[in-house]
């Protein structure tokens, strides 16, 4: 599995990670098998959140990674309603318990809510100082939000910004991606497979991906992930509950797109004009 330096951290993290949203809806044993297979294949950045299944997904992840904790880069998120100083500390304790661990690798503010940003950042800084989390970051932040967060926390404190980024939604490429690169903030692409809205086989866009996939002996999904992770500061966290799909996802680490292939994908899935408001799921 390809590893990359993760923002300002002094560690390398798998380029291809595993999302877990809605995993509570699938067969529990199958999901646990898939998460363990992901760890085996090096898809070991596992992303979850306290709100996924109202804690149920963290519990599933906790069961799946028990005995493999050292091999996992474990990320979870605090809901912004808990984004007060005390709320952040308490939410983290609850997540740690559900995840059966004493330390997170990454703790994210899920999105910017009504609480003052200073509060959550103070909580996150305390958790880091106390060794409960290795690093913290944010999600769904635009450039203005990030500038504000950096002004509060200081340079080099925000490890990542997790944002909506897939072939049909490339808005982050206008400004946000370069901003994150300049500030050494990892850009983590969520819903990188379009959250179920992937160009179907037989459609002209689907066929563009299939043609490139065939040339590399991988699936169209792997081609999409490789495209989204083509810049060195970017990571992807596709979700799958299925072991066969996981293998397709893991294969995205094994090949490089040529400049011509990148241009072909770029043409088929155009960037489009910048949006006035940051897109999110
Ligand atoms: P996604 O990863 O773009 O797509 C997931 C869908 O693709 C699922 O329906 C999955 O079904 C299917 N799939 C995956 N691999 C496949 C394959 N090889 N062949 C066919 N289908 C495949 O969607 P997402 O779950 O929205 O986003 C990924 C992760 O990002 C989430 O799980 C979550 O961890 C994170 N996220 C974060 C935020 C945020 O606000 N920060 C928001 C949304 C998501 P199967 O399970 O059946 O394979």
């Amino acid at each position: 599995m390809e590893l990359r330096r993760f923002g300002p951290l002094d560690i390398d993290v798998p380029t291809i990670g595993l999302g877990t949203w809605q995993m509570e809806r699938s067969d529990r044993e199958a999901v646990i098998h898939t998460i363990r297979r992901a760890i085996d294949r090096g898809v070991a950045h596992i992303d979850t959140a306290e709100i996924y299944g109202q804690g149920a997904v963290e519990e599933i992840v906790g069961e799946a990674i028990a005995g493999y904790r050292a091999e996992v880069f474990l990320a979870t998120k605090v809901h912004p309603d808990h984004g007060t100083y005390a709320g952040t500390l308490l939410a983290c304790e609850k997540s740690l318990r559900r995840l059966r661990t004493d330390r997170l690798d990454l703790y994210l503010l899920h999105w910017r809510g009504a609480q003052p940003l200073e509060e959550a950042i103070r909580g996150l800084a305390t958790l880091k100082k106390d060794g409960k989390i290795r690093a913290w970051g944010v999600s769904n932040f635009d450039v203005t939000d990030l500038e504000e967060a950096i002004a509060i926390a200081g340079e080099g404190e925000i490890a990542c910004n997790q944002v909506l980024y897939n072939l049909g939604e490339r808005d982050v490429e206008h400004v946000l991606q370069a901003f994150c690169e300049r500030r050494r903030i990892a850009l983590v692409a969520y819903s990188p497979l379009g959250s179920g809205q992937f160009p179907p086989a037989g459609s002209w866009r689907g066929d563009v991906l299939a043609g490139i996939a065939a040339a590399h002996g991988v699936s169209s999904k792997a081609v999409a992930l490789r495209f989204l992770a083509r810049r060195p500061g970017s990571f992807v966290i596709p979700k799958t509950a299925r072991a066969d799909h996981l293998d397709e996802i893991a294969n995205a680490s094994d090949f490089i797109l040529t400049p011509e292939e990148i241009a072909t994908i770029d043409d088929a899935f155009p960037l489009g004009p910048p949006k006035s408001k940051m897109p999110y799921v």
Side-chain angles (χ1 to χ4, degrees), residues 136-210:
W136 62 268
V138 293
S139 179
N140 297 299
F141 270 39
D142 63 17
V143 168
T144 310
D145 295 326
L146 282 178
E147 281 173 335
E148 206 179 312
I150 293 168
I152 296 165
E155 289 280 351
E157 281 302 309
I158 302 169
C160 84
N161 187 20
Q162 190 184 111
V163 290
L164 178 63
Y165 182 31
N166 56 51
L167 290 180
E169 181 47 82
R170 295 175 54 194
D171 198 58
V172 299
E173 291 182 34
H174 281 294
V175 181
L176 189 65
Q177 190 167 42
F179 179 90
C180 288
E181 287 172 2
R182 278 198 306 278
R183 300 301 187 104
R184 282 199 309 141
I185 296 170
L187 186 128
V188 178
Y190 77 67
S191 304
L193 300 175
S195 214
Q197 303 292 311
F198 196 80
S203 65
W204 78 267
R205 288 194 171 94
D207 288 347
V208 166
L209 296 176

Side-chain angles (χ1 to χ4, degrees), residues 19-21 47 52 77 110 139-140 162 190-196 221 237-242 245 248-249 281:
T20 64
W21 186 29
D47 176 80
Y52 295 172
K77 312 184 195 80
H110 208 146
S139 179
N140 297 299
Q162 190 184 111
Y190 77 67
S191 304
L193 300 175
S195 214
K221 267 98 185 167
I237 48 162
K239 172 262 174 182
T240 182
R242 287 177 46 166
H245 288 174
E248 291 184 22
I249 284 168
V281 162

